[in-house]
Amino acid sequence: RASFVRHQFQEHDMPVEDAPEDDDVRQTYNFAPGSHGLVYRADVPDWGAGGGSRPSHQAAGSPAPEDQDEQEGDMEDPKETKYKLQAMKWGLVPFWTKRSPDYGSVMRTINARDDSLAQSGGMWNTMKQKKRCIVVAQGFYEWLKKNGGKEKIPYFTKRKDGQLMCFAGLWDCVQYEGSDEKHYTYTIITTDSNKQLSFLHDRMPVILDNGSDSLRTWLDPKLSEWSKGLQSLLKPYVGELECYPVTKEVGKVGNNSPTFIVPVASTENKNNIANFFFNAKKAAAGKEETKAIEAEETEVSQQKVHVEHDEREQRSTVEHSSTEDNAPLPVPSPPSPTTESKRARDVDAKDDDMSRAKAVKIADPSACATPATSPDKKTGMKTRSSTSNVIRGSPAELGDRSKRITDFFNK
């Protein structure tokens, strides 16, 4: 809940001047792109940190003049920085977007690669300088491919110390043509996987410790120009993490249950009838006692854990192999550096086939928006992992899908 997250930040001397009410948010154990989650950021105008007026190129998504005056007033004292928790939608929509993009286009910006940010220009240029944030989560899911991809096993990863996961992210605000409503969205930054998680995936979210100097630096609105110092914060996590397989029920859209983050092999998992508790009892029991234990096992196996399903969630789960590489990548050595450095690039997909992108998050679907729906019911929801957001295939095979990512938001 928002009050719990607020308390966790304040316990680490991270100020929270504003946050959603508890009644306006709920916790979910099955968080998907298009859902609203809690984001922690500096309280700056919608066009970002650094002071001054809004960019001249911020047209269809810019605040009205009266809003601009009000927001500039919030920045009167540059010595006092305020921070807040805010509900935002996962899947960044840049401020220049004129019309609401389709679900497939939004899926391309659920993640931003760290090496994309190392280059000048590109889609993320404004956000990385003026609109940095922390995405709050309890942990994240990733899928392990086995038997040549025929079997996919969900794994849950969390901090070993039980503290909040603080993912480095970017946010933005847009208003579509003909609408007065503001839409706040975000993306999660990914980097190379650390040694502990390399068996699972070659990428992982950038994790910053709550209350650390790194997190404070990342959020500092006074740092409104990209630098090597900010880039150096985007690295594999070196702290201790717990990673273990969980139930495949988490792969079904709309399902929600606290059992989703319970290890499959745990005695806490009521669906696990082959746990160590029963095995130990069997080993020490005689024939008659063994029969009684087996009967107890049967009884436990029949105590199915209740899994709630959000009736508002109409999307279907689609088996899909993908990778995050469709986020803008560093520009390879081009014949025309001036032109190429301003492009946000797509790349060929690699070897990732993760099933679904989601995290165990504090979500706000009831207060902020109804769950997003795919415009094409035949396609349904594209399943993603927390480090994946592209359709697999070479540029030749992708056709129109190999366009620059910025093309999808200029329509």
Side-chain angles (χ1 to χ4, degrees):
R1 302 179 72 85
S3 60
F4 171 78
V5 175
R6 184 174 194 164
H7 177 73
Q8 288 294 300
F9 276 112
Q10 292 174 335
E11 281 286 298
H12 290 81
D13 296 322
M14 302 298 298
V16 182
E17 296 296 329
D18 189 25
E21 296 291 334
D22 278 349
D23 292 341
D24 295 334
V25 296
R26 69 180 180 90
Q27 185 176 27
T28 177
Y29 297 90
N30 198 351
F31 190 87
S35 301
H36 286 75
L38 278 180
V39 167
Y40 181 66
R41 69 176 179 94
D43 191 1
V44 298
D46 291 340
W47 56 87
S53 61
R54 66 189 181 190
S56 58
H57 58 280
Q58 188 167 347
S62 59
E66 56 270 22
D67 293 335
Q68 180 178 343
D69 293 338
E70 179 181 344
Q71 292 185 37
E72 285 180 347
D74 295 338
M75 299 298 290
E76 288 180 359
D77 184 3
K79 296 181 181 179
E80 182 181 356
T81 301
K82 296 181 179 180
Y83 295 87
K84 66 179 181 180
L85 286 169
Q86 183 178 359
M88 294 190 187
K89 189 174 182 179
W90 187 14
L92 191 144
V93 180
F95 61 81
W96 62 78
T97 308
K98 297 180 179 180
R99 289 179 291 278
S100 179
D102 59 39
Y103 189 78
S105 297
V106 172
M107 289 296 292
R108 296 172 182 270
T109 54
I110 60 174
N111 295 134
R113 294 176 60 102
D114 61 330
D115 43 10
S116 300
L117 306 186
Q119 303 298 313
S120 60
M123 174 178 172
W124 310 116
N125 191 51
T126 299
M127 297 77 156
K128 72 181 182 182
Q129 297 184 82
K130 301 175 179 296
K131 303 177 182 180
R132 299 184 299 274
C133 66
I134 291 297
V135 180
V136 183
Q138 183 178 349
F140 63 92
Y141 299 103
E142 203 64 84
W143 272 252
L144 177 66
K145 178 178 68 175
K146 299 186 71 176
N147 302 325
K150 295 180 180 179
E151 182 181 6
K152 295 170 184 175
I153 303 173
Y155 275 71
F156 179 65
T157 301
K158 65 178 182 178
R159 292 178 59 113
K160 197 168 186 178
D161 60 11
Q163 295 295 314
L164 292 176
M165 279 273 199
C166 296
F167 302 139
L170 305 173
W171 66 274
D172 208 347
C173 177
V174 63
Q175 284 179 244
Y176 304 126
E177 285 185 340
S179 173
D180 294 330
E181 184 180 2
K182 295 180 181 180
H183 300 269
Y184 293 89
T185 59
Y186 69 88
T187 188
I188 296 173
I189 300 173
T190 63
T191 186
D192 293 333
S193 182
N194 61 17
K195 292 182 179 179
Q196 183 180 359
L197 301 183
S198 60
F199 80 99
L200 188 60
H201 196 283
D202 63 351
R203 307 285 295 177
M204 70 178 295
V206 173
I207 303 172
L208 302 176
D209 290 330
N210 188 8
S212 66
D213 290 340
S214 295
L215 186 143
R216 296 173 192 273
T217 299
W218 178 252
L219 293 177
D220 191 348
K222 301 181 185 67
L223 303 177
S224 57
E225 297 291 335
W226 193 246
S227 64
K228 291 182 179 179
L230 289 171
Q231 185 70 42
S232 68
L233 301 177
L234 309 179
K235 56 188 179 183
Y237 188 63
V238 296
E240 291 188 282
L241 300 172
E242 283 189 65
C243 182
Y244 49 81
V246 293
T247 175
K248 293 183 179 180
E249 287 291 326
V250 74
K252 297 179 181 179
V253 180
N255 282 357
N256 189 34
S257 171
T259 61
F260 289 176
I261 61 174
V262 176
V264 170
S266 171
T267 55
E268 298 177 32
N269 190 334
K270 293 183 179 180
N271 286 331
N272 176 28
I273 65 174
N275 57 59
F276 293 106
F277 173 75
F278 286 121
N279 288 338
K281 288 176 68 175
K282 282 184 179 180
K287 291 184 178 180
E288 293 300 322
E289 290 175 304
T290 299
K291 290 181 179 180
I293 294 171
E294 289 175 346
E296 186 179 355
E297 280 186 281
T298 302
E299 181 181 353
V300 170
S301 68
Q302 293 173 349
Q303 295 175 357
K304 299 297 183 182
V305 175
H306 178 62
V307 176
E308 296 181 353
H309 187 84
D310 191 340
E311 296 181 355
R312 296 168 298 176
E313 179 59 80
Q314 301 299 320
R315 292 173 289 181
S316 59
T317 301
V318 177
E319 192 67 27
H320 191 68
S321 296
S322 61
T323 173
E324 68 151 340
D325 294 344
N326 199 51
L329 278 173
V331 180
S333 300
S336 176
T338 303
T339 301
E340 293 294 326
S341 64
K342 295 181 180 179
R343 294 183 181 178
R345 305 280 297 194
D346 295 338
V347 296
D348 298 352
K350 294 182 180 178
D351 57 354
D352 174 27
D353 71 338
M354 301 304 159
S355 300
R356 185 135 139 60
K358 48 197 167 176
V360 177
K361 299 286 307 295
I362 307 298
D364 186 23
S366 59
C368 303
T370 55
T373 55
S374 171
D376 185 351
K377 293 184 179 179
K378 293 182 180 179
T379 302
M381 175 183 174
K382 305 298 184 185
T383 55
R384 293 293 191 277
S385 70
S386 61
T387 52
S388 305
N389 66 339
V390 73
I391 300 171
R392 193 171 207 164
S394 66
E397 295 170 335
L398 290 174
D400 289 342
R401 289 178 293 177
S402 63
K403 292 180 180 179
R404 288 179 295 134
I405 193 168
T406 50
D407 291 344
F408 292 93
F409 298 99
N410 285 327
K411 297 179 180 178

